[in-house]
Amino acid sequence: MDNPMLLKSTTRHIRIFAAEIDRDGDLVPSNQVLTLDVDPDNEFNWNEDALQKIYRKFDELVEASSGADLTDYNLRRVGSDLEHYLRSLLQKGEISYNLQSRVTNYSMGVPQVAVDDQQSR
């Protein structure tokens, strides 16, 4: 085994593991592979385009840190940057809160509600 200790970065909506998933669905630590889990609690409504943006940003962040040692700190930095990027997608309206989720605590800020001008008169 290359890396007997599992390195990971876990934020509210982004989980990154320095590991591969084996046939049984278990994480096997690795120095060569990063596994990304986006929005594990299904707090947001995703479309394929927004999800692909997250994956592309992840690839970009990993590429930018290539050559650096794989450490908890470096992995957490990638996870934190990705969490901020997810927030920007929410603020732009590219994703939205999943109101059917078991978690509705609006951890990225209170959702914007469109105001109907006709009702306010």
Side-chain angles (χ1 to χ4, degrees), residues 37-101:
D37 185 7
V38 178
D39 191 19
D41 293 320
N42 297 314
E43 190 172 341
F44 301 102
N45 295 312
W46 291 90
N47 59 55
E48 190 59 32
D49 185 49
L51 198 52
Q52 288 304 314
K53 285 181 179 184
I54 290 286
Y55 292 137
R56 284 192 301 271
K57 186 66 169 181
F58 174 68
D59 290 342
E60 176 186 312
L61 292 168
V62 169
E63 181 65 30
S65 65
S66 70
D69 290 337
L70 182 59
T71 63
D72 276 328
Y73 175 79
N74 290 337
L75 205 57
R76 282 193 311 265
R77 213 170 78 199
V78 169
S80 180
D81 288 348
L82 205 54
E83 181 86 2
H84 290 296
Y85 183 68
L86 189 151
R87 179 187 303 256
S88 76
L89 294 178
L90 179 65
Q91 290 171 340
K92 292 176 194 172
E94 295 185 38
I95 61 174
S96 61
Y97 281 107
N98 175 7
L99 299 179
Q100 305 305 313
S101 172

Side-chain angles (χ1 to χ4, degrees), residues 1 3-9 16-20 27-30 33 72 75:
M1 188 180 310
N3 183 8
M5 188 169 84
L6 177 65
L7 296 178
K8 62 185 175 181
S9 166
I16 304 170
F17 302 95
E20 295 180 77
L27 290 171
V28 178
S30 170
V33 176
D72 276 328
L75 205 57

